[in-house]
Amino acid sequence: MTNLDDLPGHLIRRLQQIAVSAFMAETGAAGFELTPVQFAVLAQLSNHPGIDQATLAGLIAYDRVTIGGVISRLEARGLVARRVSPSDRRARILKLTDEGARYLEAVRPSVFATQDVILKELTPEERETFLVLLRKLTDANNELSRAPLRRVVDETASD
C-alpha cells in the first residue's frame, strides 16, 4: 500500500468529504440550511425527547464539548428547546420544538436522496454489502474514536 489511493483511511476521508458535499447540495437545493451533524441532532431528539446534551453527543458520536454550539445554533433557529435538568443543574435537557419536528420531516426526503447520490454507482446487493461492512468496521473500531458512539439511552431522562 504505497499508493495513497490504496489506503483505506484516505478513501474513507474522501468519502466523508463527498458525503458532506452531497448532503449540503441536496438539502440546499431543497431550500434547507442544515449540516449533517444538525440533522443527526434533530433525528435523535425526535427518537429520544428529553435527553441531556451528553447523552445526545454519545448517540451521534459527537464531541461532548462542541455539541453545545450545535445545539445553540438549532435553538436560535427555534428548532430545539433546551432547559436545565431538574435533577442535575449542570445538565441540559433537550427536545425538538414543534417547528423542529416539522423541519425534520420536511428535510428527510432530501437526506434520503443524498444517500442515493452517494451510493448511485453500487448495485442494490453492493449497497447492502457496503453498509454491512461499514457497520462492522465502525462497531469494531468505535473505541478508537475521540467521540465514540454510545447507543444506550436512559429512557427515564425524558422529563
Side-chain angles (χ1 to χ4, degrees):
M1 283 198 247
T2 58
N3 185 347
L4 191 59
D5 289 334
D6 292 332
L7 298 175
H10 174 71
L11 294 172
I12 292 166
R13 181 188 62 79
R14 287 282 301 124
L15 188 55
Q16 167 63 7
Q17 290 174 319
I18 292 164
V20 170
S21 182
F23 182 97
M24 300 305 289
E26 287 293 317
T27 58
F32 297 100
E33 286 187 39
L34 196 69
T35 67
V37 171
Q38 290 172 336
F39 172 76
V41 166
L42 296 178
Q44 287 295 28
L45 289 180
S46 176
N47 293 332
H48 306 285
I51 61 174
D52 62 74
Q53 285 182 201
T55 301
L56 173 64
L59 283 172
I60 66 169
Y62 201 71
D63 183 69
R64 290 175 66 169
V65 174
T66 54
I67 193 73
V70 175
I71 299 300
S72 291
R73 287 184 285 285
L74 292 170
E75 186 178 33
R77 293 173 59 191
L79 303 177
V80 170
R82 175 171 37 184
R83 65 181 172 83
V84 175
S85 169
S87 60
D88 180 355
R89 308 266 328 137
R90 297 168 297 168
R92 300 294 177 261
I93 302 300
L94 307 168
K95 71 173 198 155
L96 284 182
T97 62
D98 291 342
E99 179 63 23
R102 286 190 295 274
Y103 194 88
L104 176 61
E105 287 312 306
V107 77
R108 279 186 198 273
S110 297
V111 173
F112 295 147
T114 300
Q115 311 318 300
D116 289 334
V117 168
I118 296 166
L119 300 175
K120 70 182 176 212
E121 297 302 320
L122 301 179
T123 66
E125 295 79 21
E126 289 171 329
R127 287 178 183 205
E128 186 176 325
T129 300
F130 181 67
L131 290 173
V132 166
L133 293 173
L134 277 177
R135 285 186 196 105
K136 182 176 183 176
L137 286 172
T138 55
D139 288 348
N141 293 296
N142 187 49
E143 295 307 316
L144 296 176
S145 175
R146 290 182 301 171
L149 181 69
R150 301 288 180 229
R151 288 192 171 96
V152 178
V153 176
D154 180 3
E155 296 298 339
T156 63
S158 56
D159 293 299

